[in-house]
Protein backbone atom coordinates (compact mmCIF):
# COMPACT_ATOMS: atom_id res chain seq x y z
CA UNK A 1 0.00 0.00 0.00
CA UNK A 2 1.18 3.50 -0.81
CA UNK A 3 2.41 5.47 2.20
CA UNK A 4 0.70 8.66 3.33
CA UNK A 5 3.66 10.87 2.39
CA UNK A 6 3.52 9.50 -1.15
CA UNK A 7 -0.23 10.09 -1.47
CA UNK A 8 -0.23 13.55 0.07
CA UNK A 9 2.74 14.51 -2.09
CA UNK A 10 0.73 14.05 -5.27
CA UNK A 11 -1.64 16.43 -7.02
CA UNK A 12 -5.28 15.96 -6.03
CA UNK A 13 -6.24 14.07 -9.20
CA UNK A 14 -3.34 11.65 -8.91
CA UNK A 15 -3.91 11.12 -5.19
CA UNK A 16 -7.63 10.56 -5.79
CA UNK A 17 -6.88 7.93 -8.42
CA UNK A 18 -4.48 6.19 -6.03
CA UNK A 19 -7.05 6.19 -3.24
CA UNK A 20 -9.76 4.81 -5.55
CA UNK A 21 -7.44 1.94 -6.39
CA UNK A 22 -7.25 1.17 -2.67
CA UNK A 23 -11.03 0.87 -2.38
CA UNK A 24 -12.32 4.40 -1.83
CA UNK A 25 -15.38 5.42 -3.86
CA UNK A 26 -14.75 9.17 -3.74
CA UNK A 27 -10.98 9.57 -4.02
CA UNK A 28 -11.10 13.37 -3.93
CA UNK A 29 -13.09 13.43 -0.70
CA UNK A 30 -10.75 10.84 0.85
CA UNK A 31 -7.74 12.97 -0.18
CA UNK A 32 -9.28 16.05 1.46
CA UNK A 33 -9.97 14.06 4.63
CA UNK A 34 -6.36 12.89 4.75
CA UNK A 35 -5.09 16.43 4.23
CA UNK A 36 -7.23 17.64 7.13
CA UNK A 37 -6.19 14.69 9.32
CA UNK A 38 -2.53 15.50 8.63
CA UNK A 39 -3.11 18.75 10.50
CA UNK A 40 -4.37 17.06 13.67
CA UNK A 41 -2.72 15.14 16.48
CA UNK A 42 -3.30 12.01 14.40
CA UNK A 43 -0.72 13.10 11.80
CA UNK A 44 1.94 10.67 13.01
CA UNK A 45 -0.47 7.73 12.75
CA UNK A 46 -2.01 8.32 9.34
CA UNK A 47 -0.43 5.25 7.73
CA UNK A 48 -2.06 3.07 10.38
CA UNK A 49 -5.34 4.96 10.02
CA UNK A 50 -5.36 4.57 6.23
CA UNK A 51 -4.69 0.84 6.40
CA UNK A 52 -7.45 0.40 8.98
CA UNK A 53 -9.86 2.50 6.88
CA UNK A 54 -9.27 0.37 3.79
CA UNK A 55 -10.09 -2.75 5.81
CA UNK A 56 -13.23 -1.26 7.38
CA UNK A 57 -16.78 -1.81 6.07
CA UNK A 58 -16.81 1.73 4.60
CA UNK A 59 -13.37 3.24 3.80
CA UNK A 60 -14.95 6.54 2.72
CA UNK A 61 -17.08 6.73 5.85
CA UNK A 62 -14.11 5.79 8.02
CA UNK A 63 -11.97 8.74 6.90
CA UNK A 64 -14.86 11.18 6.83
CA UNK A 65 -16.07 10.27 10.32
CA UNK A 66 -12.52 10.07 11.65
CA UNK A 67 -11.78 13.59 10.42
CA UNK A 68 -14.95 14.88 12.11
CA UNK A 69 -14.01 13.13 15.37
CA UNK A 70 -10.42 14.42 15.35
CA UNK A 71 -11.64 17.92 14.58
CA UNK A 72 -13.76 17.93 17.76
CA UNK A 73 -11.45 16.08 20.17
CA UNK A 74 -8.99 18.14 22.24
CA UNK A 75 -5.48 17.50 20.78
CA UNK A 76 -4.06 16.48 24.16
CA UNK A 77 -6.85 13.94 24.65
CA UNK A 78 -6.19 12.39 21.25
CA UNK A 79 -2.46 12.19 21.94
CA UNK A 80 -3.10 10.57 25.31
CA UNK A 81 -5.35 7.93 23.77
CA UNK A 82 -2.79 7.09 21.08
CA UNK A 83 -0.37 5.82 23.73
CA UNK A 84 -2.27 2.56 23.28
CA UNK A 85 -1.28 1.45 19.74
CA UNK A 86 -4.63 -0.33 19.28
CA UNK A 87 -6.72 2.80 19.86
CA UNK A 88 -6.35 4.15 16.32
CA UNK A 89 -7.37 0.84 14.75
CA UNK A 90 -10.36 0.52 17.08
CA UNK A 91 -11.43 4.10 16.46
CA UNK A 92 -11.21 3.69 12.67
CA UNK A 93 -13.28 0.49 12.80
CA UNK A 94 -15.99 2.38 14.71
CA UNK A 95 -15.82 5.31 12.27
CA UNK A 96 -15.96 2.98 9.26
CA UNK A 97 -18.87 0.99 10.65
CA UNK A 98 -21.23 3.50 12.26
CA UNK A 99 -21.86 7.18 11.60
CA UNK A 100 -24.24 7.10 14.56
CA UNK A 101 -21.52 6.11 17.04
CA UNK A 102 -19.00 8.43 15.37
CA UNK A 103 -21.40 11.35 15.83
CA UNK A 104 -21.82 10.51 19.51
CA UNK A 105 -18.02 10.75 19.93
CA UNK A 106 -17.83 14.00 17.94
CA UNK A 107 -20.49 15.63 20.12
CA UNK A 108 -19.13 14.24 23.40
CA UNK A 109 -15.31 14.27 23.72
CA UNK A 110 -15.71 13.24 27.36
CA UNK A 111 -17.34 10.00 26.18
CA UNK A 112 -14.25 9.30 24.06
CA UNK A 113 -12.02 9.95 27.09
CA UNK A 114 -14.10 7.53 29.14
CA UNK A 115 -14.24 4.88 26.40
CA UNK A 116 -10.58 4.73 25.41
CA UNK A 117 -8.05 6.17 27.90
CA UNK A 118 -10.60 5.61 30.68
CA UNK A 119 -11.14 1.92 29.87
CA UNK A 120 -14.91 2.10 29.43
CA UNK A 121 -14.55 -0.04 26.32
CA UNK A 122 -13.74 -3.05 28.47
CA UNK A 123 -16.61 -2.70 30.94
CA UNK A 124 -19.42 -5.21 31.14
CA UNK A 125 -22.56 -4.02 32.93
CA UNK A 126 -25.53 -5.86 34.31
CA UNK A 127 -28.92 -4.40 35.22
CA UNK A 128 -27.90 -3.40 38.75
CA UNK A 129 -24.85 -1.44 37.57
CA UNK A 130 -26.81 0.36 34.85
CA UNK A 131 -29.55 1.33 37.31
CA UNK A 132 -27.05 2.55 39.88
CA UNK A 133 -25.11 4.64 37.37
CA UNK A 134 -28.26 6.13 35.84
CA UNK A 135 -29.66 7.01 39.25
CA UNK A 136 -26.39 8.77 40.06
CA UNK A 137 -26.52 10.66 36.76
CA UNK A 138 -30.06 11.82 37.49
CA UNK A 139 -29.38 12.84 41.09
CA UNK A 140 -28.79 16.50 40.18
CA UNK A 141 -31.45 16.72 37.48
CA UNK A 142 -34.58 18.58 38.59
CA UNK A 143 -37.52 19.20 36.30
CA UNK A 144 -38.71 17.56 33.11
CA UNK A 145 -36.14 18.93 30.65
CA UNK A 146 -33.03 18.23 32.78
CA UNK A 147 -34.26 14.70 33.49
CA UNK A 148 -35.03 14.13 29.80
CA UNK A 149 -31.54 15.33 28.84
CA UNK A 150 -29.85 13.18 31.50
CA UNK A 151 -31.71 10.10 30.23
CA UNK A 152 -30.68 10.82 26.64
CA UNK A 153 -27.06 11.47 27.58
CA UNK A 154 -26.88 8.21 29.52
CA UNK A 155 -28.47 6.25 26.67
CA UNK A 156 -25.99 7.66 24.14
CA UNK A 157 -23.00 6.98 26.38
CA UNK A 158 -24.05 3.38 26.94
CA UNK A 159 -24.97 2.87 23.28
CA UNK A 160 -21.43 3.98 22.43
CA UNK A 161 -19.92 1.46 24.85
CA UNK A 162 -22.20 -1.40 23.86
CA UNK A 163 -21.93 -0.62 20.15
CA UNK A 164 -18.15 -0.27 20.20
CA UNK A 165 -17.76 -3.56 22.07
CA UNK A 166 -20.05 -5.21 19.51
CA UNK A 167 -18.17 -3.85 16.48
CA UNK A 168 -14.78 -4.75 17.96
CA UNK A 169 -15.78 -8.29 18.85
CA UNK A 170 -15.51 -7.74 22.60
CA UNK A 171 -19.08 -8.90 23.32
CA UNK A 172 -21.14 -11.83 22.14
CA UNK A 173 -24.48 -11.14 20.45
CA UNK A 174 -26.46 -12.36 23.44
CA UNK A 175 -24.49 -10.01 25.71
CA UNK A 176 -25.21 -7.07 23.43
CA UNK A 177 -28.97 -7.69 23.28
CA UNK A 178 -29.14 -8.30 27.02
CA UNK A 179 -27.33 -5.05 27.85
CA UNK A 180 -29.51 -3.06 25.45
CA UNK A 181 -32.62 -4.53 27.09
CA UNK A 182 -31.29 -3.82 30.58
CA UNK A 183 -30.44 -0.26 29.52
CA UNK A 184 -34.02 0.27 28.32
CA UNK A 185 -35.36 -1.18 31.58
CA UNK A 186 -33.17 1.13 33.67
CA UNK A 187 -34.32 4.18 31.70
CA UNK A 188 -37.98 3.16 31.99
CA UNK A 189 -37.62 2.60 35.73
CA UNK A 190 -36.15 6.04 36.37
CA UNK A 191 -38.70 7.70 34.09
CA UNK A 192 -41.45 5.90 36.00
CA UNK A 193 -40.12 7.12 39.35
CA UNK A 194 -40.00 10.69 38.06
CA UNK A 195 -43.54 10.56 36.62
CA UNK A 196 -45.03 9.26 39.88
CA UNK A 197 -43.10 11.79 41.97
CA UNK A 198 -44.31 14.61 39.72
CA UNK A 199 -47.93 13.50 39.89
CA UNK A 200 -47.85 13.08 43.66
CA UNK A 201 -46.69 16.67 44.01
CA UNK A 202 -49.72 17.79 42.00
CA UNK A 203 -52.47 15.39 43.09
CA UNK A 204 -51.31 13.63 46.24
CA UNK A 205 -50.80 9.93 46.95
CA UNK A 206 -52.89 7.43 44.94
CA UNK A 207 -54.74 5.19 47.42
CA UNK A 208 -57.04 2.24 46.90
CA UNK A 209 -58.98 -0.22 49.03
CA UNK A 210 -57.98 -3.87 48.63
CA UNK A 211 -60.23 -6.94 48.91
CA UNK A 212 -59.76 -7.04 52.69
CA UNK A 213 -60.79 -3.42 53.11
CA UNK A 214 -57.25 -2.20 53.76
CA UNK A 215 -56.19 1.14 52.29
CA UNK A 216 -52.94 0.92 50.31
CA UNK A 217 -50.93 3.03 47.93
CA UNK A 218 -51.59 2.04 44.32
CA UNK A 219 -48.60 0.80 42.35
CA UNK A 220 -47.72 1.64 38.74
CA UNK A 221 -45.65 -0.70 36.60
CA UNK A 222 -44.34 -1.03 33.06
CA UNK A 223 -44.50 -4.45 31.43
CA UNK A 224 -42.04 -5.07 28.61
CA UNK A 225 -43.25 -7.16 25.69
CA UNK A 226 -41.66 -8.19 22.40
CA UNK A 227 -37.88 -7.93 22.16
CA UNK A 228 -37.67 -5.94 25.40
CA UNK A 229 -39.63 -8.57 27.32
CA UNK A 230 -37.43 -11.29 25.87
CA UNK A 231 -34.19 -9.42 26.59
CA UNK A 232 -33.38 -9.30 22.88
CA UNK A 233 -33.37 -5.61 21.91
CA UNK A 234 -31.13 -4.56 19.05
CA UNK A 235 -29.84 -1.08 18.24
CA UNK A 236 -32.80 -0.15 16.03
CA UNK A 237 -35.57 -1.72 18.12
CA UNK A 238 -38.47 0.20 19.52
CA UNK A 239 -39.83 -0.96 22.87
CA UNK A 240 -43.23 -2.65 23.17
CA UNK A 241 -44.69 -1.88 26.58
CA UNK A 242 -47.98 -1.65 28.47
CA UNK A 243 -48.76 0.37 31.60
CA UNK A 244 -50.62 -1.34 34.46
CA UNK A 245 -51.67 0.00 37.88
CA UNK A 246 -53.07 -1.68 40.98
CA UNK A 247 -56.75 -0.76 41.07
CA UNK A 248 -59.48 1.70 40.06
CA UNK A 249 -61.05 1.56 43.53
CA UNK A 250 -59.80 4.79 45.00
CA UNK A 251 -58.48 8.25 44.33
CA UNK A 252 -55.58 10.49 45.23
CA UNK A 253 -55.35 12.22 48.60
CA UNK A 254 -55.11 15.65 47.06
CA UNK A 255 -52.62 18.34 48.01
CA UNK A 256 -53.08 20.78 50.86
CA UNK A 257 -54.12 24.16 49.55
CA UNK A 258 -55.53 22.76 46.29
CA UNK A 259 -59.22 21.99 46.53
CA UNK A 260 -59.35 20.38 43.09
CA UNK A 261 -56.18 18.29 43.42
CA UNK A 262 -57.89 14.95 44.15
CA UNK A 263 -58.42 12.84 41.01
CA UNK A 264 -59.34 9.25 40.16
CA UNK A 265 -56.65 6.61 40.08
CA UNK A 266 -57.26 6.08 36.39
CA UNK A 267 -56.69 9.76 35.65
CA UNK A 268 -53.61 9.80 37.88
CA UNK A 269 -51.91 6.88 36.15
CA UNK A 270 -52.86 7.96 32.62
CA UNK A 271 -51.17 11.28 33.39
CA UNK A 272 -48.14 9.41 34.78
CA UNK A 273 -47.97 7.25 31.65
CA UNK A 274 -48.11 10.37 29.48
CA UNK A 275 -45.19 11.96 31.33
CA UNK A 276 -43.19 8.73 31.14
CA UNK A 277 -43.89 8.39 27.43
CA UNK A 278 -42.67 11.92 26.73
CA UNK A 279 -39.52 11.42 28.81
CA UNK A 280 -38.57 8.32 26.84
CA UNK A 281 -39.81 8.92 23.29
CA UNK A 282 -40.07 12.67 22.63
CA UNK A 283 -37.51 13.88 20.09
CA UNK A 284 -35.43 16.74 21.50
CA UNK A 285 -32.14 18.38 20.54
CA UNK A 286 -30.53 15.34 22.19
CA UNK A 287 -32.63 12.84 20.27
CA UNK A 288 -34.84 10.30 22.04
CA UNK A 289 -34.16 7.55 24.55
CA UNK A 290 -36.20 4.80 22.87
CA UNK A 291 -39.11 4.74 20.46
CA UNK A 292 -42.17 3.53 22.38
CA UNK A 293 -44.85 1.30 20.87
CA UNK A 294 -48.05 1.06 22.92
CA UNK A 295 -50.12 -0.72 20.27
CA UNK A 296 -50.11 -4.00 22.22
CA UNK A 297 -52.08 -2.51 25.12
CA UNK A 298 -55.72 -3.57 25.61
CA UNK A 299 -57.82 -2.26 22.69
CA UNK A 300 -54.64 -1.22 20.87
CA UNK A 301 -54.38 2.38 19.69
CA UNK A 302 -57.99 3.08 20.63
CA UNK A 303 -57.52 1.90 24.22
CA UNK A 304 -56.52 3.83 27.33
CA UNK A 305 -52.81 4.46 27.77
CA UNK A 306 -52.85 2.85 31.23
CA UNK A 307 -55.11 0.12 32.61
CA UNK A 308 -55.86 -1.26 36.04
CA UNK A 309 -54.77 -4.80 36.79
CA UNK A 310 -58.42 -5.92 36.98
CA UNK A 311 -59.37 -4.40 33.61
CA UNK A 312 -56.31 -5.99 31.99
CA UNK A 313 -57.24 -9.37 33.46
CA UNK A 314 -60.77 -9.07 32.07
CA UNK A 315 -59.49 -8.07 28.63
CA UNK A 316 -56.93 -10.82 28.32
Amino acid sequence: MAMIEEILGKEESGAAKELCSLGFVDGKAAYKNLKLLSQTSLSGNLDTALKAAVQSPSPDGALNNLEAVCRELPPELLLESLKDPQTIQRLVIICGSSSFLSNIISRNPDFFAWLFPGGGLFEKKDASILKEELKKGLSRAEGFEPVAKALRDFKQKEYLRIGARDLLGLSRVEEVTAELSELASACLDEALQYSIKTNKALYGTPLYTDEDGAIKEAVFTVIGLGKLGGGELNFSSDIDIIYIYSSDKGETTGVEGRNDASISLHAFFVKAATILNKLISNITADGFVFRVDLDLRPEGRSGDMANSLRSAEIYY
Side-chain angles (χ1 to χ4, degrees):
M1 178 184 290
M3 302 297 286
I4 284 295
E5 288 186 5
E6 179 185 340
I7 293 174
L8 295 183
K10 295 182 178 182
E11 293 294 330
E12 182 181 275
S13 58
K17 184 177 180 180
E18 179 72 31
L19 288 166
C20 285
S21 72
L22 295 176
F24 291 90
V25 176
D26 189 339
K28 289 185 178 181
Y31 176 71
K32 290 178 181 178
N33 286 143
L34 286 172
K35 291 282 283 187
L36 290 170
L37 284 166
S38 70
Q39 300 168 22
T40 70
S41 300
L42 197 67
S43 59
N45 295 270
L46 281 187
D47 282 314
T48 301
L50 179 60
K51 291 176 182 177
V54 169
Q55 295 170 0
S56 74
S58 171
D60 295 78
L63 285 189
N64 193 53
N65 291 328
L66 182 63
E67 188 276 317
V69 166
C70 291
R71 185 173 64 243
E72 298 299 329
L73 292 180
E76 61 278 8
L77 173 58
L78 188 55
L79 285 172
E80 174 66 22
S81 69
L82 294 176
K83 290 180 180 179
D84 181 347
Q86 289 187 298
T87 294
I88 182 61
Q89 294 181 340
R90 289 168 174 157
L91 179 59
V92 173
I93 289 174
I94 293 170
C95 289
S97 303
S98 173
S99 292
F100 175 70
L101 297 181
S102 302
N103 289 336
I104 291 178
I105 296 174
S106 296
R107 294 194 303 269
N108 303 277
D110 54 324
F111 289 2
F112 175 87
W114 161 75
L115 190 71
F116 287 109
L121 181 64
F122 303 102
E123 294 181 16
K124 292 183 179 181
K125 298 183 182 181
D126 59 19
S128 62
I129 294 175
L130 287 166
K131 288 181 179 180
E132 181 182 348
E133 291 185 352
L134 178 55
K135 188 177 292 292
K136 183 178 179 180
L138 287 168
S139 62
R140 296 183 180 180
E142 295 185 8
F144 182 90
E145 291 184 2
V147 169
K149 177 171 175 51
L151 284 168
R152 283 153 179 76
D153 287 347
F154 186 77
K155 176 263 181 125
Q156 290 191 12
K157 183 178 180 181
E158 291 305 316
Y159 253 45
L160 176 60
R161 178 186 64 82
I162 298 169
R165 286 177 56 80
D166 183 26
L167 291 172
L168 297 171
L170 299 175
S171 290
R172 300 191 307 275
V173 172
E174 57 268 30
E175 293 174 333
V176 171
T177 56
E179 285 200 50
L180 289 172
S181 302
E182 288 160 358
L183 171 62
S185 295
C187 291
L188 284 168
D189 189 52
E190 288 302 318
L192 184 154
Q193 301 303 324
Y194 174 83
S195 67
I196 296 299
K197 178 182 177 181
T198 299
N199 263 7
K200 281 185 176 181
L202 294 172
Y203 308 109
T205 303
L207 301 178
Y208 76 102
T209 303
D210 69 9
E211 296 177 352
D212 298 321
I215 297 176
K216 297 180 178 180
E217 181 173 345
V219 176
F220 185 51
T221 191
V222 181
I223 298 178
L225 305 172
K227 289 186 176 68
L228 173 60
E232 298 175 342
L233 282 186
N234 58 52
F235 290 99
S236 61
S237 296
D238 55 12
I239 52 176
D240 297 295
I241 55 178
I242 58 175
Y243 299 122
I244 302 293
Y245 58 91
S246 302
S247 172
D248 283 317
K249 297 179 180 179
E251 61 182 12
T252 64
T253 59
V255 177
E256 187 175 354
R258 293 189 60 188
N259 295 329
D260 61 343
S262 179
I263 60 175
S264 70
L265 295 189
H266 182 68
F268 180 91
F269 289 113
V270 167
K271 290 178 184 291
T274 300
I275 294 172
L276 194 160
N277 235 44
K278 289 179 178 179
L279 276 175
I280 296 296
S281 63
N282 272 15
I283 299 175
T284 71
D286 302 297
F288 56 86
V289 187
F290 289 93
R291 294 188 305 275
V292 174
D293 188 344
L294 296 173
D295 290 354
L296 295 180
R297 68 186 185 269
E299 307 297 341
R301 294 184 181 182
S302 62
D304 292 327
M305 186 175 288
N307 291 269
S308 69
L309 180 60
R310 179 58 179 160
S311 65
E313 287 176 338
I314 292 173
Y315 175 82
Y316 286 114

